[in-house]
């Protein structure tokens, strides 16, 4: 039997999930990062084959028809369709690698139906104020007020699902390596008991985030 496991890793845009995953891949060589297929257009700085495979609707439909996806989210008429190519995942699991899927919770549930020992992990920033700071202070890109508001609202919606994950990790400033080590522990042992989602933290985070969104909205006017 393969020693490889699938880890579904989710997190708010701007929470530092990318840094954690990069640290994990640099520190341990028994991981592979799955690159999804999408029909949405590339954003500034995104690279075909690294961030996503950017494909047409026809190519996406073809992949569905030939059973090429392990899971996919398909919205008729929408340009935002996403899928996890199956061959890459199977190949790496066969070679005893853990495979990271950066996908959302419904996709994770589809994967779990096929690979029951899949672990799902949600990465959160230490506070809502820190989420805003990380979004606004990104060195690689400047984002405008409305985009920040939109991402904060998306984060608020996504935080409602954290309780459905096996584990929640708080990515405190300077703690990306600790998070990467926690993922390694979870993948190697399958034990998520020490990292169960902290729903008290989540409720506090949501209330704080709601207040920040409202305050920013008032400041704009
Ligand atoms: P974005 O367009 O901002 O890159 O991603 C939007 C959402 O799609 C995120 O929640 C991301 O995790 C999710 N996503 C990315 N790739 C996949 C995939 O292959 N399958 C599923 N189900 N969701 C995905």
């Amino acid at each position: 039997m393969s020693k490889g496991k699938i880890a579904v890793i989710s997190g708010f845009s701007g929470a530092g999930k990318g840094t954690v995953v990069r640290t994990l891949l640099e520190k341990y060589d028994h991981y592979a990062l799955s690159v999804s297929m999408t029909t949405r257009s590339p954003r500034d700085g995104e690279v075909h084959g690294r961030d996503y495979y950017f494909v047409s609707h026809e190519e996406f439909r073809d992949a569905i028809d030939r059973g090429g996806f392990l899971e996919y989210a398909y919205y008729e008429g929408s340009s935002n369709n996403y899928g996890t190519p199956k061959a890459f995942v199977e190949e790496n699991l066969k070679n005893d690698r853990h495979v990271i899927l950066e996908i959302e919770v419904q996709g994770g549930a589809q994967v779990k139906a096929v690979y029951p020992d899949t672990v799902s992990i949600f990465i959160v920033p230490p506070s809502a104020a820190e989420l805003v700071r990380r979004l606004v202070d990104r060195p690689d890109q400047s984002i405008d007020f409305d985009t920040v508001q939109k991402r904060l609202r998306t984060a608020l919606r996504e935080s409602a699902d954290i309780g459905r994950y096996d584990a929640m990790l708080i990515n405190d400033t300077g703690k990306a390596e600790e998070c990467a080590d926690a993922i390694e522990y979870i993948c190697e042992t399958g034990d998520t008991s020490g990292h169960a989602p902290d729903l008290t933290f989540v409720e506090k985070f949501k209330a704080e985030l709601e207040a920040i969104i409202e305050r920013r909205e008032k400041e704009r006017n």
Side-chain angles (χ1 to χ4, degrees), residues 36 40 43 52 71-73 82-84 102-104 107 158:
S36 295
R40 82 153 164 77
R43 298 191 188 116
Y52 282 106
E71 62 75 39
Y72 59 89
Y82 302 88
T84 303
E102 287 190 33
I103 65 176
E104 41 66 64
E158 288 170 344

Side-chain angles (χ1 to χ4, degrees), residues 24-90:
L24 181 73
L25 294 170
E26 278 166 12
K27 186 162 176 183
Y28 303 101
D29 59 9
H30 51 276
Y31 282 87
L33 176 63
S34 163
V35 177
S36 295
M37 223 181 243
T38 184
T39 54
R40 82 153 164 77
S41 311
R43 298 191 188 116
D44 276 355
E46 285 185 330
V47 176
H48 179 79
R50 185 193 68 188
D51 299 291
Y52 282 106
Y53 296 107
F54 296 99
V55 299
S56 67
H57 285 276
E58 290 68 35
E59 287 169 301
F60 197 91
R61 271 245 70 104
D62 280 353
I64 295 177
D65 291 345
R66 72 183 139 73
F69 287 131
L70 175 56
E71 62 75 39
Y72 59 89
Y74 184 76
Y75 313 100
E76 193 62 62
S78 164
S79 56
N80 295 328
N81 295 312
Y82 302 88
T84 303
K86 190 154 77 179
F88 178 89
V89 175
E90 287 176 345

Side-chain angles (χ1 to χ4, degrees), residues 10 13 53 84 117 122-123 128 132 144 160 169 177 193-194 204-205:
S10 307
S13 168
Y53 296 107
T84 303
D117 64 349
F122 201 99
I123 297 179
V132 180
D144 60 47
L169 300 176
E177 188 168 354
S193 58
K204 190 165 160 253
F205 180 90

